[in-house]
Amino acid sequence: MISQSNTNQLDFRRFDNRNQLGDSAAQTVGNCLRTLLAEQATVSVIFAAAPSQEEFLAALCQEENIDWSRIHAFHMDEYVQLAEDAPQRFGNFLKERIFDRVPFQTVNYLNGNAPDLAAECQRYSDLLKQHAVDVVCMGIGENCHIAFNDPHVADFNDPVLVKVVDLDQACRQQQVNDECFTVFEDVPTHALTLTVPALMQAPHVFCMVPGVNKAQAIYHTLHSPVSEQYPSTILRLHEDAVLFVDTDSASRLPQ
């Protein structure tokens, strides 16, 4: 680790590389889960699905003394109308990397192929209300989106917890940059997403953002005005949010 500092209320931690980032984030999240489990019967956690989360998720599965059987798992977004077995589906990504690797009490999948998307949004919203979220483990997109709240659809005062959104060009291009899809035209145009308030209502937020492609987003997150134009800036107003970056993603920050 290189340094640790605070920007507004945001706890900012910089590491030499993404492996160190993932290990430290997993230890920090693990400590939070152990503390919560000592204080309450169950814990609810929302996970992000993205290549940026690979090292963190792998390390989190190895954390010891976490009673996963008392944890409810959720994910924060899902493509609309992508084949059930597509590896790009976020539910499938998380199933392989954590949902099937530790014994959660429940795993709650968001279904982008539901015949009635409005009803699916309501179903998932009801689950989030039933199991009040304690922890969010997330990333930040190249356009500063959190979940699939791209700048043109982000609403810091959104009245709903889950909604259908169209994805902007930068968001869709990121999926190609991340090698999730071969060409831009293959990337779905719509998705279901948890809204900004759904994420920010969690008492504890941990944000893992390695990689040079995220350098501009990290700059905006820390230095641009807090606004929906840069959705991730909302992290600076959260009372207990930690941002983990590596040398690459921090490369555009002032020295």
Side-chain angles (χ1 to χ4, degrees):
M1 186 171 72
I2 296 174
S3 63
Q4 178 174 337
S5 59
N6 286 288
T7 302
N8 294 359
Q9 297 188 85
L10 182 57
D11 184 348
F12 170 72
R13 306 182 188 184
R14 186 185 321 197
F15 298 84
D16 289 333
N17 56 62
R18 58 193 301 148
N19 287 320
Q20 289 182 10
L21 184 161
D23 288 345
S24 181
Q27 184 178 42
T28 303
V29 172
N31 288 339
C32 179
L33 294 176
R34 285 183 283 267
T35 298
L36 290 170
L37 287 166
E39 299 171 347
Q40 56 197 62
T42 62
V43 172
S44 296
V45 185
I46 298 171
F47 292 96
S52 63
Q53 307 300 298
E54 293 270 15
E55 292 82 4
F56 159 68
L57 292 172
L60 184 63
C61 290
Q62 302 302 315
E63 282 290 304
E64 298 180 348
N65 300 317
I66 296 175
D67 186 355
W68 297 104
S69 69
R70 293 195 284 129
I71 297 179
H72 300 284
F74 295 84
H75 59 116
M76 60 182 58
D77 43 17
E78 185 59 272
Y79 292 114
V80 168
Q81 298 305 318
L82 195 61
E84 293 286 345
D85 60 351
Q88 298 96 336
R89 280 175 64 92
F90 294 144
N92 292 340
F93 178 99
L94 288 167
K95 186 175 190 291
E96 179 180 339
R97 288 159 179 81
I98 190 167
F99 289 169
D100 274 0
R101 296 186 61 191
V102 296
F104 287 106
Q105 181 169 137
T106 64
V107 174
N108 301 280
Y109 288 98
L110 189 58
N111 181 13
N113 292 342
D116 184 338
L117 293 179
E120 175 63 7
C121 290
Q122 186 60 56
R123 181 191 72 84
Y124 213 70
S125 296
D126 291 343
L127 284 171
L128 291 169
K129 293 174 183 177
Q130 179 183 349
H131 303 292
V133 177
D134 300 288
V135 176
V136 170
C137 301
M138 63 184 291
I140 294 173
E142 292 179 23
N143 64 356
C144 294
H145 72 214
I146 52 177
F148 267 143
N149 295 283
D150 290 337
H152 74 292
V153 296
D155 182 351
F156 288 173
N157 297 296
D158 213 311
V160 298
L161 296 179
V162 186
K163 65 183 180 181
V164 182
V165 295
D166 63 297
L167 307 179
D168 73 13
Q169 183 168 337
C171 174
R172 294 177 68 205
Q173 183 60 47
Q174 179 187 323
Q175 312 311 314
V176 180
N177 297 345
D178 284 346
E179 300 182 350
C180 298
F181 293 86
T182 304
V183 295
F184 179 84
E185 291 73 20
D186 289 344
V187 183
T189 60
H190 290 74
L192 304 181
T193 186
L194 273 62
T195 60
V196 174
L199 301 172
M200 291 298 101
Q201 70 180 358
H204 311 282
V205 175
F206 303 96
C207 188
M208 287 61 75
V209 193
V212 68
N213 288 350
K214 303 296 180 68
Q216 190 64 48
I218 291 299
Y219 175 85
H220 287 308
T221 300
L222 296 176
H223 295 288
S224 291
V226 176
S227 73
E228 283 99 343
Q229 181 180 358
Y230 306 108
S232 56
T233 56
I234 193 68
L235 290 165
R236 292 180 4 222
L237 303 183
H238 195 280
E239 293 185 356
D240 186 17
V242 185
L243 174 61
F244 299 83
V245 302
D246 66 357
T247 299
D248 289 336
S249 59
S251 59
R252 295 194 180 182
L253 297 179
Q255 297 300 312

